[in-house]
């Protein structure tokens, strides 16, 4: 699969790897992407170096609320990791290949797993604000219908790996939730471009097509990992729950605030992933 990445994008990946390696010679065992309001996930990470995306050729610059735009290079529980502290979104005007580039660089540096976190709106009526959802799959409404010229930078039709949301990491996350006595749901993430939050009719539709939560990120990154056969653990923080029959609106600051409160539970899971990788690699 990776051999079919176009040469121009391959060159951008190589350039990114070179910049990071010049600053940090360690091989990361896993990657972590911080979602909106989820900066507390890096509590406990010993940071060796911080590399702004601006220092890396072709990298996107995050403009979204509560997002930086940098890699943190360091260790969690003694296990080396690369953190994407701040992610970019389709609604900021980036192409799919640009959104995928930071993940492709982590993949080329040798990560064995990717943990992707996000803030999401619950469309499953059984969900509550503050629940954590472990992703069992996604529905790509970002470009699967209209298509893009450069999705994944691959010049032919490709299928995401069926097991990209790895069962072993899902089970680990659920076990951590049981041990630490908090609720972890499992469900399907609907990826949309945003930046508008949904109308009540759209929330209703997302539920009807099989979604449990909706958000504006994650899908490009998961597809990027899939192209490199890297297993993913996807974690959504449910920051608001859609009530299609009540006239309620979602506010971006409230989403950030809700995510901040819920981050400690996610932290336990990320820490367990590091321990698992420390044991098996
Ligand atoms: N919709 C889309 N993205 C989101 C939401 C939502 O309701 N909540 C947090 N991110």
């Amino acid at each position: 699969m990776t051999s079919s990445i176009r040469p121009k994008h391959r060159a951008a990946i190589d350039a990114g790897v070179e910049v990071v390696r010049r600053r940090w010679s360690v091989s990361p065992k896993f990657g972590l992407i911080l979602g909106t309001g989820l900066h507390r996930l890096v509590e406990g990470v010993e940071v060796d170096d911080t590399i702004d995306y601006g220092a890396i050729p072709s990298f996107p610059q995050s403009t979204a609320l509560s997002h930086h735009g940098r890699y943190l290079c360091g260790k969690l529980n003694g296990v080396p990791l690369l953190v994407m502290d701040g992610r970019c979104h389709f609604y900021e005007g980036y192409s799919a290949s640009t959104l995928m580039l930071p993940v492709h660089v982590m993949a080329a540096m040798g990560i064995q797993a990717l943990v992707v976190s996000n803030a999401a709106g619950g469309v499953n009526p059984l969900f509550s604000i503050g629940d954590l959802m472990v992703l069992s799959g996604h529905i790509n409404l970002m470009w699967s219908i209209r298509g893009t010229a450069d999705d994944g930078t691959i010049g032919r039709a490709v299928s995401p790996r069926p097991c990209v949301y790895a069962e072993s990491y899902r089970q680990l996350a659920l076990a951590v939730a049981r041990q630490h006595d908090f609720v972890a749901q499992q469900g399907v993430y609907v990826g949309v471009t945003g930046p508008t939050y949904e109308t009540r009719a759209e929330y209703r539709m997302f539920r009807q097509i099989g979604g449990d939560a909706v958000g504006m990120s994650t899908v490009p990154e998961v597809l990027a990992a899939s192209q490199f056969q890297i297993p993913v653990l996807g974690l959504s923080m449910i920051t608001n729950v859609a009530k299609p029959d009540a006239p309620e609106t979602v506010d971006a600051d409230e989403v950030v605030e809700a995510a901040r409160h819920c981050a400690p539970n996610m932290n336990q899971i990320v820490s367990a992933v590091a321990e698992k990788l420390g044991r098996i690699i």
Side-chain angles (χ1 to χ4, degrees), residues 209 222 227-228 263:
I209 64 172
V222 170
Q227 288 163 357
F228 278 75

Side-chain angles (χ1 to χ4, degrees), residues 18-250:
E18 202 188 311
V19 171
V20 179
R21 279 213 202 289
R22 231 184 286 135
R23 301 265 297 261
W24 191 60
S25 57
V26 179
S27 290
K29 297 288 181 227
F30 74 110
L32 169 64
I33 304 180
L34 301 182
T36 304
L38 291 168
H39 196 263
R40 288 181 67 189
L41 290 188
V42 284
E43 280 172 9
V45 173
E46 281 168 61
V47 178
D48 298 332
D49 206 348
T50 300
I51 305 174
D52 287 334
Y53 293 163
I56 310 177
S58 311
F59 260 48
Q61 308 291 311
S62 178
T63 59
L65 187 67
S66 127
H67 283 270
H68 293 280
R70 59 190 186 181
Y71 280 134
L72 305 178
C73 315
K75 285 191 199 67
L76 179 61
N77 300 337
V79 178
L81 85 163
L82 252 182
V83 181
M84 279 173 61
D85 182 11
R87 59 145 59 92
C88 298
H89 303 80
F90 226 60
Y91 63 74
E92 294 169 86
Y94 297 110
S95 64
S97 58
T98 304
L99 294 177
M100 290 175 162
L101 181 58
V103 175
H104 284 154
V105 168
M106 294 199 289
M109 290 197 63
I111 59 167
Q112 308 284 310
L114 178 68
V115 181
V116 186
S117 66
N118 61 54
V123 295
N124 182 328
L126 300 178
F127 287 4
S128 307
I129 293 176
D131 281 357
L132 189 150
M133 182 183 91
V134 181
L135 273 66
S136 56
H138 73 228
I139 297 173
N140 180 5
L141 295 187
M142 289 185 166
W143 66 80
S144 63
I145 292 173
R146 95 189 123 88
T148 76
D150 74 337
D151 60 3
T153 70
I154 286 176
R156 62 188 169 87
V158 290
S159 178
R161 290 170 70 231
C163 52
V164 61
Y165 294 101
E167 174 73 19
S168 59
Y169 286 107
R170 284 212 319 260
Q171 291 309 329
L172 176 71
L174 296 172
V176 170
R178 282 193 297 274
Q179 276 159 21
H180 293 272
D181 212 15
F182 62 84
V183 174
Q185 312 278 2
Q186 278 201 83
V188 171
Y189 177 90
V190 181
V192 294
T193 51
T196 44
Y197 291 109
E198 290 66 32
T199 64
R200 286 147 73 188
E202 286 164 339
Y203 279 130
R204 202 176 291 121
M205 174 184 76
F206 293 155
R207 182 66 189 146
Q208 281 170 358
I209 64 172
D212 294 288
V214 55
M216 303 174 197
S217 66
T218 299
V219 167
E221 296 140 0
V222 170
L223 292 177
S226 172
Q227 288 163 357
F228 278 75
Q229 282 87 46
I230 291 170
V232 171
L233 172 63
L235 301 172
S236 288
M237 201 42 91
I238 304 299
T239 54
N240 52 290
V241 177
K243 295 195 182 66
D245 300 317
E248 275 186 13
T249 55
V250 186

